[in-house]
Amino acid sequence: MRFIENGPNIPDELLVARDAGDVILFCGAGVSQAEAHLPNFADLGRKVIEILGAAQDSRARTLLERTLKLGAMPGVGGLVATDRVFGLLEREFEVSDVRAAVAEAIRPLPDAKLDAHRVLLDLATSRNVTRLVTTNFDLLFEACDPTLRSSGPPNLPDPHSDRDFQGIAHLHGRVDAEYQRAQDEEFVVSSADFGRAYLSAGWATHFIQRLLSRFQILFVGYSADDPPMQYLLEGLNLRSGTRNRLYALQDGEHRSAIALWEHRGVQAIPFDSNNGFSPLWDTLQAWAEGRGTAELGMIWRYRGQNLARSTSLHTNEVRSPTSYQPVKVPGAWRGP
């Protein structure tokens, strides 16, 4: 369903699964960039380098500058090895100092807008229960609703426990309330941190595997080449062709957007960002508000009726449902 003209076309099966409480929003840096204007992973590396006062010829600064100059390749993405930048910084400075600089670099302004976070929290709430996972360290989701439960590693909730898995799960750690240090034992920024989380200790991989065995996942605010996403998907060891379990909202030309995710086992949902990201956020808001759900119900009832008609009582042979014509509903628009 396409809620907004030029917006992403959300698969019908994902809409139905979300209403049933079977979809988890998995939120990345792009969410906090949208209106709160926090840095992405590459900009975070740059800010931390400045806060720590790394030398102009430091290996971390040199690596970041060189990889940023390479830019992105269509269908491939960028090559910014920010996790390795943080690894180099941890060789030059105390780990605690690097993490304190990260906390300072993501401190939001007092007037930071939280509209994007509120929309996602609404979308992540089904049957009066909110469940959302993020790799962001900031506490902007908690700022929207201080009553929400918040957790971080190593005390992540069990995705198979309805009682345990509620609120905001910070997969890579979170800052303390004063944005001065890491709140939890784990704060995943460097290549060593990622290796521990996804390989040697593997607690992040275990959490994602448990999550995926129960829910469908929609990635919001990521690029396919983000270090957190690369480690996460490599940890899952997925293959091209995995469908209807992992989805990612991706800006850009349709074929390039698909190519960025397909070999990682993720179904991309492309959208055009040439004129900004409002089509994405307007779509998510319309989805959260339930616009177009009447049309969706008609579509699935129609499909069910056709499936029933195509089933032979004698041979039990099932043929594919016929195509349908979109139903016009105020507030909803369905594209081709």
Side-chain angles (χ1 to χ4, degrees):
M1 172 175 286
R2 201 184 301 275
F3 291 89
I4 303 295
E5 190 169 3
N6 297 325
N9 190 2
I10 309 298
D12 292 344
E13 61 270 18
L14 192 61
L15 300 175
V16 173
R18 180 262 171 183
D19 288 345
D22 294 332
V23 172
I24 294 297
L25 298 186
F26 210 111
C27 301
V31 174
S32 293
Q33 279 183 273
E35 292 181 336
H37 303 300
L38 294 193
N40 60 23
F41 211 56
D43 289 336
L44 177 62
R46 183 186 288 112
K47 291 187 71 172
V48 169
I49 285 173
E50 297 304 324
I51 291 171
L52 291 171
Q56 291 298 316
D57 61 349
S58 76
R59 296 172 65 189
R61 187 188 294 272
T62 301
L63 175 60
L64 182 60
E65 291 177 351
R66 288 183 178 178
T67 54
L68 285 173
K69 287 180 181 178
L70 294 175
M73 297 174 59
V76 177
L79 300 171
V80 181
T82 320
D83 55 319
R84 292 178 175 82
V85 171
F86 281 108
L88 291 173
L89 285 173
E90 289 181 354
R91 297 180 188 179
E92 297 180 34
F93 302 91
E94 294 290 335
V95 172
S96 59
D97 291 339
V98 174
R99 294 185 174 187
V102 170
E104 180 181 343
I106 63 171
R107 182 183 292 120
L109 295 174
D111 60 348
K113 294 183 179 180
L114 303 179
D115 292 352
H117 292 79
R118 292 190 180 97
V119 166
L120 290 173
L121 284 176
D122 288 345
L123 197 55
T125 302
S126 179
R127 302 183 179 183
N128 297 319
V129 176
T130 301
R131 296 188 178 99
L132 184 146
V133 179
T134 181
T135 52
N136 296 344
F137 307 128
D138 62 71
L139 304 178
L140 295 181
F141 284 114
E142 289 85 348
C144 295
D145 185 355
T147 67
L148 287 174
R149 187 183 302 176
S150 180
S151 59
N155 300 313
L156 291 168
D158 179 3
H160 282 250
S161 170
D162 287 338
R163 177 177 294 183
D164 192 32
F165 185 32
Q166 295 187 24
I168 313 302
H170 290 265
L171 183 63
H172 290 170
R174 54 189 170 158
V175 299
D176 65 348
E178 292 75 30
Y179 284 81
Q180 294 181 347
R181 61 180 180 83
Q183 175 69 33
D184 307 295
E185 295 178 21
E186 299 288 351
F187 204 54
V188 182
V189 291
S190 69
S191 50
D193 297 332
F194 280 105
R196 185 170 60 254
Y198 289 95
L199 298 174
S200 59
W203 48 264
T205 301
H206 177 72
F207 176 84
I208 297 298
Q209 288 173 337
R210 293 277 290 172
L211 192 71
L212 189 57
S213 68
R214 178 181 177 186
F215 299 98
Q216 297 179 61
I217 295 176
L218 175 61
F219 296 116
V220 185
Y222 292 97
S223 294
D225 56 330
D226 286 342
M229 187 54 56
Q230 291 188 27
Y231 280 99
L232 188 155
L233 295 177
E234 286 175 6
L236 289 176
N237 195 30
L238 298 172
R239 293 291 182 268
S240 176
T242 302
R243 295 181 61 82
N244 301 330
R245 300 302 299 172
L246 290 166
Y247 301 82
L249 290 157
Q250 176 68 50
D251 66 308
E253 190 273 329
H254 190 274
R255 289 185 179 179
S256 294
I258 297 294
L260 284 169
W261 292 94
E262 188 173 27
H263 71 284
R264 293 176 166 92
V266 180
Q267 181 176 340
I269 307 175
F271 64 95
D272 185 356
S273 63
N274 285 332
N275 295 317
F277 283 76
S278 59
L280 169 64
W281 294 108
D282 289 347
T283 291
L284 295 178
Q285 183 173 359
W287 185 6
E289 293 174 352
R291 296 184 221 162
T293 52
E295 177 191 6
L296 182 64
M298 294 178 192
I299 291 169
W300 281 89
R301 283 196 298 274
Y302 185 84
R303 287 180 176 176
Q305 290 168 0
N306 276 286
L307 184 62
R309 292 193 192 103
S310 65
T311 303
S312 169
L313 295 176
H314 300 289
T315 64
N316 291 325
E317 178 185 357
V318 178
R319 296 187 299 273
S320 298
T322 60
S323 61
Y324 59 89
Q325 294 296 322
V327 181
K328 297 286 186 180
V329 176
W333 182 87
R334 187 174 183 86

